[in-house]
Structures are given as C-alpha cells and as structure tokens.
Amino acid sequence: MNTQVAIIGAGPSGLLLGQLLYKAGIDTVILERQTPEYVLGRIRAGVLEQGTADLLREAGVSERMDREGLVHEGVELLVAGRRQRLDLKGLTGGKTVMVYGQTEVTRDLMQAREASGAPIIYSASNVQPHELKGERPYVTFEKDGQTHRLDCDYIAGCDGFHGVSRKSIPEGVLKEYERVYPFGWLGMLSDTPPVNHELIYAHHERGFSLCSQRSQTRSRYYLQVPLEERVEDWSDERFWNELKARLPADVAQQLVTGPALEKSIAPLRSLVVEPMQYGHLFLVGDAAHIVPPTGAKGLNLAASDVNYLYRILVKVYREGRTDLLEQYSPLALRRVWKGERFSWFMTQLLHDFGEHKDAWDQKMQEADREYFLTSPAGLVNIAENYVGLPYEEVA
Ligand SMILES: Cc1cc2nc3c(=O)[nH]c(=O)nc-3n(C[C@H](O)[C@H](O)[C@H](O)COP(=O)(O)OP(=O)(O)OC[C@H]3O[C@@H](n4cnc5c(N)ncnc54)[C@H](O)[C@@H]3O)c2cc1C
C-alpha cells in the first residue's frame, strides 16, 4: 500500500489534516487504533476559536457547525463575588468564539472522510512508523491478524498524548517542558439548559468552577477537585450541590439540574516537546503538547498545527518547496507557546492553589485578578488570547 502522507490518529488533528489535504488533491491514509464509536464517545473540548472555525469552513465541513453551533460574543468571569462580562467582540475588534463540541467536529469530519472515499483504517493495531530519517519512510500496522506496510513521503503523527509517534523519536532528540498542577477537573455532561447564555469562569475559595455548554439543551460543568479524588465518589447530587456552593446565589438559583450523561476527572498539566519534526515525521496536536483546559486551547492548538502543516505540504507538492518543511516546527511552536502561556495564566488566575502557593504567590494572584479584570488593557489581553491569536503566513 502507498500514499503521499500517512496520518496516524483519527482525532480532530488527523481527520482535519486528512480533509484539507484531500481537498488539495494530496493522497492520505489515516490509521486509527480505535473504532469510530470509541472515538466519538470521548467528551472533550467545546469552544472553537474563530481561526479554527474558519479552518473547518475551508475544509468544507462547517455546514452543521454554522447551523447548530452557538456564536458567543462574550464570557463571564466571577471573581471575589464580582460578576464581570468580558465583551470578546468589543475588545477584539469583532472576533467571537463558536461553541460546538469536539464530538460534533469529529463526527462531521468522519462523515466527510467517508463521503470522499479516501482511506481510513480503524482498529489498526501495533501502528509503527519506520525510516523517519531515511528517504523512504513507511508505517507498519496490523489489521484483522495481518501485518500491512504503508509506504509514504511523510508521516503526520496526530495520535495524541499517548500515541506512538512521539515515542518513536530516538531518546535525546526531544526536549520536554512540563508543568503538573496539584488538582484536576471533574466534568459532568447533562441534558439540561445552560445556566447562562455565555460561559461562566468562576473563582471561589472552595475551588474553581466552569459553567460551559454544548448546545442550548446540553450543559457541561466542571469543578476543580484534588488529584486523589475518585469519580465514583461523586453522585450527581453531590456534584450539583458543590457547583451551587461555588456560584453566587442568583446564578445557583437559575441552575437546572438533571442526571449526568457522563462524568470524568482529568488531571491538569502543561507539556510541550521541541522540536515538532524529526526527519519525515511531523508531530501534530496533543502528540506534541498538552494544555490545562482553562483557556479552551487544546483543540484549537491542534487546529493551529494542522493549519501550518497543511499549508506547507500544499506548497511542497505544488511548488516543490521542500525548504518549508523545516519551518513547520518553529512556526507551530511560536503559536503553541503563546497558547501554553495563556492556559497557564488562566489556570494561575482562577484556581485555588491552597497550600501549594505561599503567601507571596497568593498576593500576586490577587493582584493579577485585580489588575487584569479592572484595567482595559488587561481585559483586552485576556480577550485577544481567548478568541485566538492570528496565524502567521506560510511563505
Ligand atoms: C478528558 C479531556 C478533556 C478535554 N477537555 C478539553 C476542553 O474542555 N477544552 C479544550 O480545548 N481541550 C480539551 N481537551 C483537549 C482536546 O480534546 C485535545 O487537545 C484534542 O483532542 C487534540 O486532538 P488530537 O487529534 O491532537 O488528539 P486526540 O484527540 O487525542 O486524537 C488522537 C487519536 O489518535 C489515536 N491513537 C492514539 N495512539 C494511536 C496509535 N498508536 N495508533 C493509531 N492511532 C492512535 C487515538 O485513539 C485518537 O483517536 C481535553 C482532553 C481530554 C483528554
């Protein structure tokens, strides 16, 4: 079997890259270790930057997003009992975000892949990239008990944090930067109308909470919890009571409760590996970087990497610009680091670090909140990062 670009992983990165390259006339084969049902069962991100939404439009998969997605022009921040609306549109010269679940983005991309007839192989096990530094890279995998070989020009490692791509780079090549936070987020999905028409990020002495949403009838709520917490210990009732305790009385009163469709705990961590290229292998999305979800950047940074790799590969195949391949890692990383900084900053700003912050750090956190939420420049700073910084040109 052979192709131009072998894509490992059918998460948002792999599927979006595959769709954009298909539209540009570049052949790809996507190899995914799970079944499509399993991939669609993962409840994850829900806020798309304008640049991500535009990229989905360019990929021709935006019809349902533009019909059903919710354009949000602001978010609310609740700090020290003060409720403040961040006017994203007004503060950024007209930019907004789109509330549309990662599951729906993935479903739209899977359907587009199927309609295109381009190959995608689910339940592919033991996927392994080879000859990354050589002229003839290839990927081997097993399917239905048979071993297959896929020859290609380039390999896109879109296989997330636990994937094989990053691990196949020899030891000592990658430099890893990591920050682990002393808490996680307990998330709950429910078919209840959102408590507010915009997202609410709430700092509270009991811990951070986020009132998010997937649609006008489906809500996603999060609570900051200690790392050792177990999801089995959180009944629906306990979750709702704790959320109400962290919200002001008028908001808590509006909260419509109901049975959980899903509950899970995700530890918070920041991680980046550099460089994002090794020979003919390119790391994309969570395979190269993880952010705490506080800034809503995980999926958006994955889309940002796809944007750069797609534009470079089009110039490689159409114009012979192989010189651009080395630009992928520095271009992608410049934007990744800004997303990492913002996610780290929002996590610092809004969470309760308890004994993990000393008295000085606590005061700095309070001063940051005071400054960023009262100064016009501080508000613009948060707003322009939240809606997403611009992509650089690939030239
Ligand atoms: C629990 C959780 C909650 C999150 N919540 C948010 C949020 O609220 N906001 C936000 O912005 N971001 C959130 N994120 C982050 C966001 O979901 C990710 O950044 C995004 O999924 C990255 O897309 P990706 O395609 O790079 O990786 P993934 O979505 O991880 O996709 C990788 C794909 O590769 C496949 N794969 C892995 N290994 C192999 C292999 N060896 N061979 C073949 N295929 C393989 C996987 O099965 C998967 O389908 C969350 C992440 C998690 C884990």
Side-chain angles (χ1 to χ4, degrees):
M1 206 188 299
N2 59 60
T3 190
Q4 288 173 303
V5 183
I7 298 177
I8 305 178
S13 303
L15 288 165
L16 180 55
L17 182 65
Q19 175 65 11
L20 287 162
L21 292 178
Y22 165 76
K23 289 204 66 169
I26 297 169
D27 287 342
T28 59
V29 172
I30 302 181
L31 301 171
E32 164 61 49
R33 124 175 115 180
Q34 305 288 358
T35 63
E37 297 73 33
Y38 183 95
V39 173
L40 285 172
R42 295 187 294 224
I43 308 298
R44 292 184 171 180
V47 177
L48 309 182
E49 292 174 354
Q50 190 152 323
T52 305
D54 288 344
L55 200 59
L56 290 165
R57 291 188 185 105
E58 190 174 339
V61 288
S62 61
E63 201 223 325
R64 199 161 65 92
M65 174 189 80
D66 283 325
R67 200 174 59 240
E68 297 176 13
L70 306 172
V71 174
H72 280 202
E73 297 182 357
V75 290
E76 291 204 17
L77 299 172
L78 275 171
V79 174
R82 195 171 59 216
R83 190 169 172 182
Q84 175 155 6
R85 179 168 185 271
L86 203 62
D87 175 9
L88 296 173
K89 195 172 181 182
L91 290 163
T92 62
K95 290 192 180 160
T96 56
V97 292
M98 172 78 79
V99 172
Y100 190 64
Q102 177 168 336
T103 313
E104 305 314 316
V105 172
T106 309
R107 195 187 310 278
D108 296 343
L109 284 163
M110 280 180 171
Q111 282 172 0
R113 184 82 187 177
E114 203 182 325
S116 74
I120 179 162
I121 299 169
Y122 291 102
S123 307
S125 59
N126 205 11
V127 175
Q128 199 65 54
H130 304 272
E131 294 289 338
L132 302 177
K133 281 284 200 185
E135 275 312 299
R136 304 298 322 153
Y138 63 97
V139 183
T140 52
F141 63 97
E142 288 165 24
K143 172 81 181 168
D144 301 328
Q146 304 249 328
T147 302
H148 302 266
R149 172 178 167 138
L150 174 63
D151 290 288
C152 55
D153 301 330
Y154 304 105
I155 301 170
C158 302
D159 47 352
F161 183 60
H162 299 289
V164 65
S165 299
R166 190 179 68 253
K167 291 178 197 144
S168 65
I169 296 174
E171 219 168 292
V173 171
L174 297 178
K175 186 158 168 57
E176 194 172 294
Y177 301 84
E178 187 178 32
R179 170 73 31 115
V180 176
Y181 303 89
F183 39 73
W185 276 18
L186 168 63
M188 189 214 246
L189 189 73
S190 65
D191 268 337
T192 53
V195 68
N196 189 45
H197 68 289
E198 293 178 337
L199 271 60
I200 300 179
Y201 289 79
H203 172 263
H204 192 274
E205 60 196 13
R206 295 179 73 96
F208 168 81
S209 62
L210 169 59
C211 303
S212 186
Q213 54 189 265
R214 293 292 180 268
S215 70
Q216 277 160 355
T217 55
R218 182 166 285 189
S219 299
R220 180 78 167 157
Y221 295 105
Y222 294 97
L223 296 172
Q224 174 190 348
V225 292
L227 274 179
E228 50 287 359
E229 209 67 33
R230 294 171 346 135
V231 73
E232 305 83 76
D233 296 332
W234 283 84
S235 65
D236 294 358
E237 193 188 4
R238 182 178 174 205
F239 186 98
W240 291 119
N241 287 340
E242 183 59 32
L243 180 60
K244 282 181 186 169
R246 295 183 190 189
L247 296 172
D250 59 327
V251 181
Q253 262 170 14
Q254 304 279 324
L255 191 69
V256 179
T257 62
L261 299 174
E262 190 262 4
K263 258 193 241 121
S264 52
I265 295 181
L268 264 60
R269 110 165 46 197
S270 304
L271 180 130
V272 181
V273 296
E274 291 188 349
M276 288 170 60
Q277 177 193 2
Y278 178 71
H280 290 78
L281 170 70
F282 299 87
L283 298 178
V284 182
D286 277 20
H289 43 77
I290 300 284
V291 285
T294 328
K297 288 285 166 261
L299 173 59
N300 291 304
L301 286 180
S304 165
D305 295 350
V306 168
N307 170 72
Y308 289 125
L309 187 56
Y310 153 64
R311 292 190 201 289
I312 287 171
L313 286 172
V314 167
K315 284 187 188 281
V316 167
Y317 282 107
R318 287 193 186 152
E319 300 166 26
R321 293 284 310 276
T322 46
D323 60 300
L324 287 175
L325 292 167
E326 287 194 358
Q327 289 305 311
Y328 169 68
S329 180
L331 264 175
L333 280 167
R334 272 201 291 277
R335 200 164 181 286
V336 164
W337 275 115
K338 289 176 201 146
E340 290 281 348
R341 186 208 69 80
F342 181 64
S343 306
W344 165 86
F345 164 79
M346 289 291 276
T347 305
Q348 298 281 333
L349 194 74
L350 295 172
H351 287 75
D352 177 29
F353 281 75
E355 70 204 30
H356 299 281
K357 263 194 194 300
D358 63 20
W360 175 266
D361 288 340
Q362 305 263 12
K363 285 290 177 194
M364 289 300 101
Q365 189 188 28
E366 281 168 28
D368 263 352
R369 280 192 215 117
E370 188 61 31
Y371 167 68
F372 277 97
L373 302 184
T374 55
S375 145
L379 293 171
V380 169
N381 183 313
I382 296 180
E384 73 167 355
N385 280 281
Y386 193 82
V387 299
L389 297 172
Y391 297 148
E392 286 179 58
E393 284 286 315
V394 174

